């Protein structure tokens, strides 16, 4: 039985081949491959059970308020009230339909991971090279690959020729990683296992052979898939808060219904009348419009965010984003441009700064702030020539303004710099055609190309500064070519290390001219200087981070890149200062084993480098445990578990992998950090709007509860009937509430701290607001009913109609009480909202329709009033508005207005 190698990166290849019972020359036989496939399974990522359409639909009925509505419908049907029962059922179905259509999510993370394995791979089977579907790969297969191939299993290298792989989606490393066959230490992190190729990555350069050590879910990619499944799909704060409100109203309904039934029984009232009153109370207690309005308001918020390049695929995530207290962001492409730029050339005689970022071929060369022409300096021409010739990259001009780079990012950056100097690689090659290339040697950490015509041969060399300096005998000094001594070599090395500590990538360049083309390339070289590369920060990010800081939101960087690079970018963006440390992944322990001091150290840190996917997941969990709402950004396969776990997963739309995009709650169409901050502001305003219309809806619901309750307790005719209550809750109240949900919100929303995620959606002051206005509206309705019965001689049905109109218009006018206390009476955020006026007009029109269309009036048990009745109804209807404006005027100036107050 072949033994699967444990930690294969730390063992010699001969040991691994022996344990897997395979030879390099022959590979596996078909019989061996079939047996191992049965033993280890096919090379597939285990799929998470998908949500069916049916399960998504069922989820729409899990809200406490919807369940309470459904229960009310069943009770109504059971006593033969078919019209009321059907009306309640329509509300339930309509709400579920809106939520179902909008929330049909596209999160298919396992499908995306599976697609990474649907490719063909060249293997050696029984001594012959065959191309087989990647899902048929098994441990022990000998794989043959070259540049451009996708890696479909984890494998240990047997042979590597100039081999480089793009592992950015797995490790976060922004540059291709050089590979070799030498084993590394057992504890080496994923990004430093240079003798391994991993599933889901791609070969960008060179060729080689390897033996497969893990397939399917045993690969590093497969482990991530398991982490995605284990990462809980967190309920959003809004869902929890709405359910809390629903439970509060259930308790209120049960208590008041019991009081009504007991009171009715003690007064020897008709049992059917008592039951009808209980139903009316239950219907009044349930804000039927709240789920509908919340769903529509959130859906509109999704559209508004989409116009700002933020695509949200889950309704409640819109509001959750507004409550974010921590943004955990990747570095490459989110905070930076994701394009290497050569920004400095260190020559023996001078230091040259190069302007222009990315692929922009326009820029200037300056020394101490003064512009220079590269053509006027021989040493500049030599280093540009050597850097451009020593590589395989190319610049291809597309239809746009800037060219497209093909090849190694740093080689592309050198070609862009050459273009800034007015030169082209093609012209250099015409002058000095390439004769041959000495491939990059991982041990020597150098590469060379040889160019020339006739008897002259130009050797261009680049590599790690410490290695290039070892083989340089001379440099170009103030007096021409001079010898390098140990003191000068040490000075160059110190300069290189200082630049690297600033987060720059450093290459040393050298040259020589020989009469023979086949001499040793790395001998008797002349040092030309150092080239410094940087993936520059995005221009708008510093301002966005400052805006987030003003809004009380912490920004932390979690990257797989090097510590010095991460720290340099963070300092440039003012994320950290010299007093704060950056933490490397190797220092992070499991959350359960952290002491309080260690937790504090992590929570105070703003930069994490060389972090593994599991560590990203742990960091998100740690911040959540401390009560934070975490928005996590990512683009790679390695980010998917953390995106799934975060309160808001934010994926990159331009460069993000399909796995990351489908694990996220929000996708950025422009990959810009500033879009996240703008979306948070939008989310805060949406929450403010939701709170505003919930206050409105609960006020009018409670006002009807009090009206029905006191009408029953005082042995009065029913002030408002169950079907009338349902009509008001589901129709005329929905439109004003929806209009409030479409308001523009506060202009200074991002100058205020985030709300406390532990607080409920309505605080004590909001409940006092609800109780006060509910009592005023209820008193107006009961006062109108009593006045009609005692002073006008109206019968019960006529008086009941007036009571219905007082509640209807009093509640509609109450919308003007839901404004900030510091705003003006006539000019404020409510009166400026066009949707509010449309909603009021529509609600009045619908009320007149059911009042004056006789069949509808008969169903609703209404009788059109005369002039006297209308005067009474309107007079009592304006009482809540009058009391509300007086109350707001008294409160004006008492304390600072904020998003948490009205």
């Amino acid at each position: 039985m072949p033994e699967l190698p444990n930690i294969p990166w730390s063992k010699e290849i001969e040991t691994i081949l022996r344990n897997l019972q395979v030879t390099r020359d022959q590979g596996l036989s078909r019989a061996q491959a079939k047996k191992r496939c049965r033993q280890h399974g096919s090379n597939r990522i285990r799929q998470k059970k998908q949500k069916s359409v049916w399960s998504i639909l069922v989820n729409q009925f899990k809200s406490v308020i919807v369940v309470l509505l459904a229960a009310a419908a069943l009770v109504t049907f059971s006593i033969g009230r078919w019209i009321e029962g059907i009306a309640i059922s329509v509300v339930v179905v309509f709400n579920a339909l809106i939520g179902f259509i909008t929330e049909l999510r596209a999160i298919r993370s396992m499908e995306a991971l599976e697609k990474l394995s649907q490719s063909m791979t060249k293997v050696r089977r029984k001594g012959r090279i065959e191309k087989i579907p990647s899902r048929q790969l098994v441990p022990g297969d000998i794989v043959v690959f070259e540049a451009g191939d996708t890696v479909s299993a984890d494998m240990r290298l047997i042979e590597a020729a100039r081999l480089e792989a793009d592992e950015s989606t797995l490790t976060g490393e922004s540059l291709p990683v050089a590979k070799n066959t030498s084993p590394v230490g057992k504890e080496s992190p994923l990004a430093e296992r240079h003798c391994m190729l991993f599933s889901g990555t791609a070969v960008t350069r060179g060729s080689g052979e390897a033996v497969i050590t893990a397939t399917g879910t045993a690969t590093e990619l497969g482990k991530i898939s398991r982490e995605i499944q284990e990462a809980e799909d967190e309920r959003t704060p809004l869902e929890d808060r709405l359910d809390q409100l629903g439970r509060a109203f259930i308790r209120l309904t049960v208590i008041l219904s019991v009081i009504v039934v007991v009171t009715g029984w003690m007064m020897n009232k008709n049992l059917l009348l008592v039951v009808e009153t209980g139903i009316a109370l239950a219907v009044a207690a349930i804000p039927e419009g709240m789920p509908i309005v919340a769903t529509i308001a959130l859906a509109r918020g999704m559209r508004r965010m989409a116009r700002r390049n933020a695509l949200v695929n889950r309704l409640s995530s819109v509001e959750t984003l507004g409550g974010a207290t921590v943004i955990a962001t990747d570095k490459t492409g989110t905070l930076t441009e994701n394009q290497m730029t050569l920004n400095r050339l260190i020559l023996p005689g001078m230091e040259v700064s190069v302007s222009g970022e990315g692929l922009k071929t326009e820029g200037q060369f300056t020394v101490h702030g003064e512009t220079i022409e590269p053509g006027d300096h021989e040493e500049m021409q030599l280093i540009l020539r050597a850097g451009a010739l020593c590589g395989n990259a190319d610049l291809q001009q597309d239809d746009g303004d800037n060219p497209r780079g093909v090849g190694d990012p740093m080689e592309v950056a050198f070609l862009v710099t050459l273009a800034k100097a007015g030169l082209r690689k093609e012209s250099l090659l015409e002058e000095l055609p390439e004769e041959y290339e000495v491939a990059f040697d991982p041990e020597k950490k150098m590469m060379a190309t040889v160019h020339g015509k006739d008897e002259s041969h130009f050797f261009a060399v680049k590599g790690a500064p410490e290695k290039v300096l070892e083989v340089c005998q001379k440099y170009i000094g103030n007096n021409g070519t001079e010898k390098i001594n140990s003191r000068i070599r040490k000075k160059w090395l110190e300069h290189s290390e200082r630049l690297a500590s600033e987060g720059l990538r450093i290459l040393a360049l050298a040259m020589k001219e020989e009469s023979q083309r086949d001499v040793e390339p790395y001998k008797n070289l002349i040092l030309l200087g150092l080239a410094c590369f940087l993936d520059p920060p995005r221009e708008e990010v510093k301002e966005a981070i400052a805006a987030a800081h003003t809004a009380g939101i912490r920004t932390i960087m979690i990257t797989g890149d090097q510590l010095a690079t991460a720290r340099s970018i963070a300092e440039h963006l003012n994320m950290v200062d010299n007093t704060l440390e950056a933490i490397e992944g190797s220092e992070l322990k499991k959350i359960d084993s952290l002491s309080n001091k260690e937790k504090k150290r992590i929570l105070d840190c703003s930069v994490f480098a060389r972090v593994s996917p599991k560590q990203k997941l742990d960091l998100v969990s740690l911040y959540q445990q401390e009560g934070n709402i975490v928005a996590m950004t990512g683009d790679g396969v390695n980010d998917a578990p953390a995106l799934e776990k975060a309160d808001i997963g934010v994926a990159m739309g331009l460069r993000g992998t399909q796995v990351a995009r489908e694990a996220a709650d929000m996708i950025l169409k422009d990959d810009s950090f500033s879009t996240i901050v703008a979306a948070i502001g939008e989310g805060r305003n949406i929450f403010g709007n939701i709170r505003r219309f919930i206050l409105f809806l609960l006020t009018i619901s409670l006002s009807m509860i009090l009206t029905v309750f006191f009408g029953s307790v005082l042995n009065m005719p029913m002030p408002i009937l169950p079907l009338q209550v349902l009509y008001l809750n589901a129709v005329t109240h929905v439109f004003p509430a929806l209009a409030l949900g479409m308001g523009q919100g506060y202009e200074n929303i991002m100058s205020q701290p985030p709300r406390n995620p532990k607080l409920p959606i309505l605080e004590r002051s909001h409940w006092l607001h609800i109780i006060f206005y509910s009592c005023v509206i209820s008193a107006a309705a009961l006062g109108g009913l009593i006045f009609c019965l005692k002073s006008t001689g109206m019968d019960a049905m006529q008086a009941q109609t007036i009571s219905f109109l007082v509640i209807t218009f009093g509640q509609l006018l109450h919308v003007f009480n839901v404004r900030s206390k510091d705003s003006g009476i006539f000019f404020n955020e409510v009166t400026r909202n066009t949707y509010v006026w449309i909603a009021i007009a529509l609600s009045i029109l619908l009320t007149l329709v059911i009042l004056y269309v006789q069949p509808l009036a008969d169903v609703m048990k209404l009788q059109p009033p005369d002039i006297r009745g209308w005067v009474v109804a309107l007079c009592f209807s304006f009482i809540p508005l009058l009391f509300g404006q007086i109350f707001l005027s008294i409160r004006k100036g008492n304390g600072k207005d904020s998003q948490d107050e009205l």
Side-chain angles (χ1 to χ4, degrees):
M1 181 74 67
E3 179 185 344
L4 289 184
N6 187 24
I7 50 175
W9 54 88
S10 67
K11 297 179 180 178
E12 296 292 342
I13 188 62
E14 293 78 11
T15 304
I16 293 173
L17 292 172
R18 185 168 58 253
N19 290 343
L20 287 169
Q21 298 179 11
V22 64
T23 62
R24 173 184 176 182
D25 295 336
Q26 289 297 310
L28 299 175
S29 66
R30 285 190 175 86
Q32 287 176 308
K34 287 182 179 178
K35 184 177 180 181
R36 296 188 185 197
C37 187
R38 288 194 298 270
Q39 180 183 356
H40 301 287
S42 60
N43 184 33
R44 295 175 182 268
I45 302 299
R46 182 173 59 191
Q47 294 192 18
K48 183 180 181 180
K49 187 177 180 181
Q50 298 180 15
K51 273 189 177 181
S52 66
V53 173
W54 173 250
S55 67
I56 295 174
L57 181 61
V58 170
N59 283 340
Q60 308 306 315
F61 296 92
K62 291 184 178 179
S63 164
V64 174
I65 292 176
V66 172
V67 170
L68 190 56
L69 272 173
L74 290 175
V75 173
T76 307
F77 282 128
S78 68
I79 63 172
R81 297 291 185 178
W82 295 99
I83 295 177
E84 290 90 338
I86 291 172
I88 297 174
S89 301
V90 167
V91 172
V92 174
V93 172
F94 183 61
N95 175 70
L97 189 61
I98 293 174
F100 173 74
I101 293 172
T102 311
E103 287 198 31
L104 192 57
R105 302 179 62 186
I107 297 181
R108 296 289 182 259
S109 298
M110 294 306 103
E111 285 183 0
L113 288 167
E114 180 73 10
K115 288 178 182 178
L116 290 175
S117 299
Q118 293 177 358
S119 58
M120 304 295 287
T121 302
K122 287 180 289 186
V123 298
R124 185 176 289 119
R125 293 272 176 93
K126 212 169 183 179
R128 298 178 59 183
I129 302 295
E130 299 179 8
K131 186 175 281 190
I132 65 172
S134 298
R135 65 178 180 274
Q136 296 178 10
L137 294 173
V138 296
D141 261 327
I142 304 297
V143 178
V144 180
F145 51 82
E146 59 187 356
D149 288 349
T150 297
V151 182
S152 299
D154 287 0
M155 53 190 78
R156 173 69 161 82
L157 290 171
I158 300 172
E159 178 184 300
R162 302 163 47 196
L163 186 63
E164 292 183 359
D166 178 3
E167 297 181 346
S168 59
T169 60
L170 197 61
T171 66
E173 174 64 56
S174 56
L175 293 174
V177 179
K179 296 291 183 177
N180 58 59
T181 60
S182 302
V184 295
K186 292 181 181 180
E187 303 300 325
S188 298
L190 192 66
E192 296 176 9
R193 298 172 192 170
H194 302 310
C195 58
M196 298 287 295
L197 290 178
F198 298 105
S199 179
T201 63
V203 178
T204 59
R205 186 177 187 178
S207 59
E209 293 186 10
V211 59
I212 292 179
T213 57
T215 58
T217 56
T219 64
E220 295 296 330
L221 183 65
K223 294 173 185 176
I224 292 175
S225 77
R226 293 201 299 270
E227 289 169 4
I228 293 176
Q229 294 175 50
E230 293 165 3
E232 299 176 5
D233 193 7
E234 301 289 322
R235 279 176 59 86
T236 67
L238 180 63
E239 292 171 325
D240 292 335
R241 289 163 176 161
L242 289 178
D243 274 355
Q244 288 173 8
L245 284 177
R247 285 190 288 271
F249 267 78
I250 286 177
R251 290 192 293 270
L252 180 62
T253 302
V254 170
I255 292 171
L256 293 182
S257 294
V258 169
I259 293 174
V260 167
V261 171
V262 171
T263 303
W265 174 73
M266 292 176 65
M267 293 181 175
N268 296 317
K269 286 188 176 181
N270 181 283
L271 183 60
L272 183 59
L273 179 62
V274 171
V275 172
E276 284 185 2
T277 305
I279 292 174
L281 196 58
V283 173
I286 307 168
E288 288 92 340
M290 191 161 71
I292 298 173
V293 176
T295 301
I296 294 175
L298 289 171
R300 184 174 183 272
M302 287 175 66
R303 291 193 297 272
R304 286 165 61 175
M305 286 187 174
R307 289 196 292 268
R308 305 188 74 163
N309 292 319
L311 300 178
V312 182
N313 64 9
R314 189 182 182 196
L315 279 180
S316 50
S317 299
V318 174
E319 179 274 335
T320 307
L321 185 64
T325 57
V326 171
I327 303 176
T329 177
D330 191 16
K331 175 185 70 68
T332 305
T334 309
L335 302 178
T336 66
E337 295 285 357
N338 195 27
Q339 290 180 342
M340 294 302 291
T341 300
L342 195 159
N343 71 343
R344 224 179 300 178
L345 288 169
I346 312 299
L347 306 178
M350 59 181 173
E351 182 172 321
V352 182
S353 297
V354 185
S355 65
E357 296 177 347
L359 294 175
K360 297 176 182 177
T361 56
E362 296 179 356
Q364 292 184 329
F365 299 82
T366 58
V367 177
H368 301 307
E370 295 185 6
T371 303
I372 65 168
E373 290 295 332
D376 296 339
H377 300 269
E378 182 182 0
E379 60 268 44
M380 277 282 291
Q381 294 183 54
L382 286 173
I383 196 170
L384 290 174
R385 176 190 292 181
L389 291 176
C390 191
N392 301 293
D394 189 20
L395 281 182
Q396 299 177 356
Q397 189 65 47
D398 291 334
D399 295 335
D401 296 333
N402 298 319
R404 180 171 62 91
V406 178
D408 181 87
M410 289 201 288
E411 292 182 1
V412 170
F414 228 116
L415 295 184
V416 172
T417 305
L418 188 72
K420 292 174 183 177
L423 301 173
R424 295 171 60 247
K425 183 178 181 180
E426 292 78 5
S427 301
L428 295 179
L429 288 173
E430 288 177 7
E431 179 186 346
L432 293 171
E434 183 176 320
E435 296 178 307
Y436 67 94
E437 175 184 320
V438 181
F440 178 80
D441 187 327
E443 293 184 2
K444 295 181 178 180
K445 295 185 179 180
M446 291 183 290
M447 72 166 289
T449 55
V450 182
H451 307 260
K453 286 183 179 178
D454 303 326
E455 302 300 322
S456 177
H457 305 278
F458 180 83
F459 287 70
V461 177
K462 70 177 180 183
E466 67 276 12
K467 296 295 184 180
V468 173
L469 280 165
E470 282 181 9
V471 295
C472 285
Q473 304 300 316
K474 300 177 181 179
Y475 74 104
I476 300 177
N478 296 329
N479 301 316
T481 304
E482 302 178 22
K483 285 188 177 182
I484 290 182
N485 55 35
S486 58
R487 181 182 60 82
I488 293 174
R489 185 174 283 110
K490 181 181 179 182
K491 183 178 178 181
W492 275 98
L493 281 173
E494 289 175 350
H495 198 169
S496 170
E497 290 170 359
R498 186 167 61 254
L499 292 168
S501 68
E502 296 176 12
L504 298 171
R505 310 273 180 153
I506 313 298
L507 281 181
L509 292 111
M511 58 152 283
K512 68 176 178 177
E513 292 183 332
E514 297 279 359
S515 58
Q516 301 294 322
R517 66 187 293 273
D518 296 322
V519 299
E520 166 60 41
Y522 305 130
K523 193 174 182 180
N524 298 323
L525 293 172
I526 300 171
L527 178 67
L528 297 175
L530 304 176
C532 308
F533 300 85
L534 177 70
D535 181 9
R538 285 174 173 251
E539 293 180 3
E540 75 278 6
V541 169
K542 181 182 285 190
E543 183 179 342
I545 289 177
H549 180 74
T550 302
I553 303 167
R554 277 196 66 199
T555 302
I556 61 173
M557 180 196 299
I558 305 177
T559 179
D561 213 339
Q562 297 179 10
L563 184 64
T565 305
R567 179 63 186 260
S568 174
I569 294 296
E571 288 179 346
H572 181 86
L573 297 173
N574 295 332
M575 289 178 61
V576 297
D577 56 38
N578 294 328
T579 63
L580 293 178
E581 61 178 332
I583 296 178
E584 207 161 15
S586 58
E587 302 177 56
L588 294 174
K589 299 178 183 178
K590 291 184 177 179
I591 292 180
D592 297 339
S593 62
L594 290 172
S595 65
N596 291 335
K597 184 178 180 181
E598 289 171 328
K599 282 185 180 181
K600 185 178 186 306
R601 180 192 173 213
I602 292 173
L603 292 170
D604 288 343
C605 183
S606 296
V607 179
F608 300 88
R610 289 298 192 196
V611 175
S612 71
K614 182 65 171 66
Q615 289 171 331
K616 288 186 178 184
L617 194 63
D618 288 345
L619 285 170
V620 170
S621 298
L622 181 60
Y623 278 98
Q624 288 176 328
Q625 288 175 14
E626 294 299 312
N628 290 288
I629 301 296
V630 181
M632 171 77 191
T633 76
D635 61 354
V637 175
N638 60 324
D639 297 319
L643 292 175
E644 188 86 11
K645 175 65 177 174
D647 298 285
I648 293 290
V650 183
M652 305 298 111
L654 295 178
R655 72 178 194 284
T657 61
Q658 187 175 356
V659 177
R661 289 197 299 268
E662 297 200 7
D665 301 292
M666 185 172 82
I667 298 171
L668 304 182
K669 292 194 291 185
D670 57 0
D671 288 11
S672 175
F673 181 86
S674 60
T675 300
I676 303 173
V677 178
I680 288 175
E682 191 70 51
R684 287 188 176 188
N685 275 325
I686 289 169
F687 177 80
N689 290 338
I690 289 174
R691 172 178 276 169
R692 196 177 295 276
F693 75 65
I694 287 177
L695 279 170
F696 174 76
L697 284 174
L698 295 189
T699 298
I700 59 181
S701 291
L702 183 58
S703 68
M704 287 190 291
I705 293 173
L706 296 176
T707 302
V708 172
F709 175 73
F710 285 112
S712 175
V713 170
L714 297 175
N715 202 23
M716 299 168 60
M718 187 93 62
I720 187 168
L721 301 178
L723 192 56
Q724 295 171 0
V725 170
L726 187 62
Y727 165 79
L728 291 174
N729 272 0
V731 181
T732 60
H733 297 162
V734 168
F735 298 123
L738 185 57
L740 290 172
M742 292 182 175
Q744 295 301 312
Y746 294 90
E747 294 181 358
N748 64 338
I749 196 74
M750 291 300 283
S751 64
Q752 301 169 9
R755 64 182 182 275
N756 188 338
K758 296 179 181 179
L759 293 178
I761 196 167
L762 297 181
E763 300 173 37
R764 181 174 176 273
S765 61
H766 301 123
W767 285 110
L768 292 175
H769 167 109
I770 291 170
I771 293 170
F772 171 76
Y773 286 117
S774 298
C775 290
V776 174
I777 295 172
S778 177
L782 292 172
L785 179 65
I786 294 171
F787 180 82
C788 290
L789 290 173
K790 302 294 185 182
S791 302
T792 65
M794 293 183 185
D795 60 28
M797 187 173 182
Q798 290 174 324
Q800 193 179 66
T801 299
I802 299 301
S803 176
F804 167 77
L805 291 176
V806 170
I807 291 178
T808 300
F809 294 125
Q811 292 175 345
L812 285 177
L813 292 172
H814 173 63
V815 75
F816 296 108
N817 294 330
V818 189
R819 61 174 175 87
S820 58
K821 60 179 172 49
D822 288 341
S823 59
I825 295 177
F826 299 105
F827 298 99
N828 52 64
E829 65 271 21
V830 177
T831 58
R832 287 194 298 265
N833 187 340
T834 306
Y835 295 109
V836 167
W837 295 102
I838 295 173
I840 291 175
L842 183 58
S843 298
I844 292 174
L845 178 63
L846 291 173
T847 302
L848 293 176
V849 167
I850 66 166
L851 192 61
Y852 287 100
V853 175
Q854 195 59 48
L856 293 177
D858 292 341
V859 170
M860 299 294 291
K861 297 182 180 179
L862 295 171
Q863 183 175 328
D866 54 18
I867 298 292
R868 182 184 55 172
W870 273 113
V871 170
V872 172
L874 291 176
C875 286
F876 278 92
S877 297
F878 273 90
I879 291 175
L881 177 62
L882 180 62
F883 270 78
Q885 296 305 309
I886 293 173
F887 178 65
L888 287 170
S889 297
I890 294 172
R891 291 184 63 206
K892 187 173 182 177
N894 294 336
K896 184 174 68 175
D897 197 28
S898 75
Q899 62 173 315
D900 293 326
E901 291 190 63
L902 289 174

